[in-house]
Amino acid sequence: MAAISIIVPVYNTAIYLEECLSSICGQTCSDIEIICVNDGSTDQSGMILERFAASDKRVRIIHKGNTGYGHSMNIGIEAAVGEYIGIVESDDWIRKNMMQTLYEAAEMYQVDFVKADFCRFVRQADGKIRENYETLSDESLYYNRVFCPSDEIKSFRFSINIWSGIYRTDFIKENNIRFHESPGASFQDNGFWFQTFALAKRAVLLDKPLYMNRRDNPLSSVYCPDKVFAIREEYDYIRQWLDNLQGNQKKYRFLCAEGRIRGYFHTIDRIDDTYKADFYIKFREDYLNLRESGELAETFLPLEWRKRIDKILENPKEACRLEIEERKRHRQILGDFKDIIIYGAGVYGKKVFATLERMGAGKCIAYFAVTDLKGNPSVLNGIPVVEFDTLSKEFCQEALVIVAVKEEMQEEIIHNICGHGYQHYKDGSILLNM
């Protein structure tokens, strides 16, 4: 029995696969098995897998026809014999000490799962990596202590990912925690994530980034604008799973409903404009059904959702039209700038960040900039916070600075921005009022 069984689902990721497998084989924790499930790849992925298996006996390959991500993951779970199960996507990579750090924490705290923060990254044209630190929770009180997710329901608002931690194998198999196997579907990590949080009695989070999540793979599900109703199907699966759950289901139904709405907002921000009107109509229909069934705890929904929800409920087609127009204005403002710097890390800065995330420009945000780091965080929403005067002047040729501070502070800050050769934008009436 290995300490950790690492499942790597593979489908046509040959250009990233060697980096991924090298990072796994090079772990400081050598007591691992690496289960690569090849989902009918048609590129060179199979050959790369065979080469790694020939040079490292810990690598096991399961070749199968193309039946989808969920089925691949379930095959990997069934094959796992380690004490714990880890998951690494085949276009990502992990830091050298990830598995050892997670294993030691899992053993020390005796938990059902342990997760750590992570980084999202893109590899630039010059080969350099630009990464953003992502936290699982915005609140430090959830880190480095054992908690029961179902007793602390705010944990169901943590960042949804399945790959930044490891899970006790007995916990997964005894509870029959599995992936939705709908062929061709996406976002099947949501169901697995929800099950682990609903059933775990002991969990712990680590406040250190160990996993590197790629954001420059054009074939990633988050960049598939035609996968319109995938998240809807996934939450139908979660809801059906709840019907078979023993004990009090009411709390989980509330949490499932909130997760569905969060997923719907993410979908609206992701899909192509041509599909949005139909999705807004379904959003309204599903929301009203949740309200009528009594599964929606509206008073506990995040306040920042309320304005958008009200517009969708009143007239979904008009809400869709207005948001599309708003995004077009935003894109005109941003133009061809490669990077965005948000000047301000307070309330206004956070509003600008949320707006850019909604319009799909979050990956362009390079920094939050401030005049003085004193009293400011070093990282905000996974993005470094820096003193503006420390930024390289060479950076100014490709970056736009969005001024997100109180009006009385703008003139002095803009003077400084212009003195450094940066272009700026300050009209908060567009970027702050979505």
Side-chain angles (χ1 to χ4, degrees):
M1 179 184 289
I4 305 173
S5 297
I6 302 172
I7 302 172
V8 185
V10 180
Y11 179 69
N12 288 350
T13 50
I15 60 174
Y16 312 117
L17 189 53
E18 185 154 351
E19 181 177 41
C20 171
L21 293 177
S22 294
S23 73
I24 300 172
C25 292
Q27 288 292 293
T28 54
C29 175
S30 60
D31 187 14
I32 58 177
E33 66 165 352
I34 306 163
I35 304 171
C36 301
V37 185
N38 183 18
D39 188 31
S41 296
T42 57
D43 63 0
Q44 300 298 308
S45 295
M47 294 178 61
I48 295 171
L49 292 175
E50 294 290 352
R51 177 159 51 84
F52 271 85
S55 62
D56 192 326
K57 64 181 181 180
R58 299 173 300 173
V59 177
R60 298 168 53 195
I61 308 172
I62 300 173
H63 292 292
K64 66 180 185 66
N66 180 227
T67 53
Y69 179 87
H71 184 242
S72 293
M73 288 304 307
N74 288 340
I75 290 289
I77 290 172
E78 294 298 333
V81 298
E83 297 174 63
Y84 296 90
I85 290 174
I87 299 165
V88 179
E89 305 291 355
S90 59
D91 55 350
D92 297 338
W93 57 275
I94 58 178
R95 298 195 186 278
K96 195 169 186 177
N97 65 334
M98 175 173 172
M99 294 301 160
Q100 181 174 343
T101 303
L102 295 176
Y103 181 77
E104 290 175 354
E107 290 289 282
M108 180 173 68
Y109 290 108
Q110 289 293 293
V111 291
D112 294 318
F113 69 76
V114 55
K115 290 193 170 189
D117 290 339
F118 59 100
C119 289
R120 298 197 191 279
F121 77 94
V122 297
R123 193 176 294 279
Q124 302 178 130
D126 60 4
K128 294 180 180 178
I129 287 178
R130 191 177 76 201
E131 61 185 59
N132 289 328
Y133 187 119
E134 299 280 345
T135 58
L136 294 173
S137 170
D138 293 333
E139 300 182 57
S140 60
L141 63 90
Y142 285 105
Y143 286 92
N144 305 306
R145 68 173 177 86
V146 176
F147 68 98
C148 175
S150 60
D151 288 341
E152 301 189 46
I153 59 174
K154 286 182 72 174
S155 67
F156 281 79
R157 293 180 180 174
F158 290 170
S159 173
I160 295 178
N161 78 66
I162 59 173
W163 28 252
S164 71
I166 59 174
Y167 310 83
R168 188 167 54 83
T169 303
D170 287 346
F171 162 67
I172 296 297
K173 293 191 175 184
E174 288 171 3
N175 286 288
N176 196 33
I177 296 174
R178 295 295 187 272
F179 286 78
H180 186 202
E181 291 190 2
S182 178
S186 296
F187 308 107
Q188 292 170 322
D189 53 350
N190 282 248
F192 183 88
W193 182 91
F194 192 95
Q195 292 174 69
T196 58
F197 270 69
L199 296 175
K201 301 302 182 186
R202 295 174 61 84
V204 71
L205 306 184
L206 305 181
D207 53 352
K208 55 185 67 177
L210 302 173
Y211 191 98
M212 300 296 292
N213 176 234
R214 184 179 298 277
R215 274 295 183 262
D216 57 10
N217 180 358
L219 299 180
S220 174
S221 294
V222 296
Y223 300 129
C224 292
D226 59 339
K227 296 213 171 184
V228 182
F229 295 109
I231 197 67
R232 192 170 185 252
E233 295 167 3
E234 185 67 6
Y235 273 88
D236 286 346
Y237 166 75
I238 297 171
R239 183 61 186 79
Q240 290 169 10
W241 175 80
L242 285 174
D243 284 340
N244 298 317
L245 187 65
Q246 299 297 315
N248 181 18
Q249 300 178 14
K250 192 169 185 179
K251 173 171 60 177
Y252 298 115
R253 288 177 180 174
F254 287 140
L255 295 170
C256 177
E258 181 177 320
R260 182 188 290 267
I261 296 166
R262 181 181 294 107
Y264 281 18
F265 278 138
H266 173 73
T267 299
I268 287 173
D269 298 334
R270 178 184 61 79
I271 60 176
D272 189 81
D273 288 351
T274 57
Y275 304 117
K276 284 185 177 178
D278 287 341
F279 193 86
Y280 274 67
I281 292 170
K282 285 296 182 183
F283 187 118
R284 181 179 185 275
E285 177 186 320
D286 290 350
Y287 189 93
L288 292 176
N289 285 338
L290 288 170
R291 176 190 280 174
E292 184 177 352
S293 69
E295 297 184 29
L296 189 63
E298 290 185 281
T299 57
F300 290 95
L301 297 180
L303 292 176
E304 61 267 25
W305 292 4
R306 190 70 262 169
K307 188 176 180 181
R308 295 182 83 188
I309 290 173
D310 288 343
K311 288 181 178 179
I312 293 170
L313 294 182
E314 181 180 353
N315 189 329
K317 288 187 176 180
E318 179 65 7
C320 177
R321 185 187 68 80
L322 290 174
E323 284 206 9
I324 289 175
E325 287 186 359
E326 192 78 3
R327 288 165 194 273
K328 286 179 179 177
R329 290 212 302 274
H330 292 166
R331 292 188 179 103
Q332 289 174 353
I333 294 166
L334 300 179
D336 297 324
F337 290 98
K338 181 180 177 182
D339 293 293
I340 298 170
I341 299 168
I342 300 175
Y343 202 123
V347 173
Y348 294 126
K350 291 175 182 177
K351 286 186 176 180
V352 170
F353 173 83
T355 300
L356 293 172
E357 281 278 283
R358 287 198 296 271
M359 63 180 286
K363 62 183 179 181
C364 298
I365 304 172
Y367 301 104
F368 283 94
V370 293
T371 303
D372 189 343
L373 271 178
K374 187 177 181 180
N376 285 295
S378 59
V379 176
L380 182 61
N381 295 325
I383 294 170
V385 180
V386 300
E387 290 186 2
F388 181 78
D389 289 349
T390 65
L391 291 173
S392 168
K393 289 193 175 183
E394 295 176 4
F395 195 47
C396 70
Q397 301 302 317
E398 53 190 23
L400 173 70
V401 181
I402 298 177
V403 181
V405 298
K406 293 180 180 178
E407 187 173 356
E408 58 266 29
M409 300 169 59
Q410 289 182 2
E411 184 175 348
E412 180 180 352
I413 286 173
I414 289 171
H415 179 76
N416 187 33
I417 290 170
C418 294
H420 283 74
Y422 282 85
Q423 296 190 53
H424 68 277
Y425 180 76
K426 68 171 184 176
D427 187 359
S429 66
I430 292 179
L431 283 171
L432 299 183
N433 291 339
M434 264 190 81

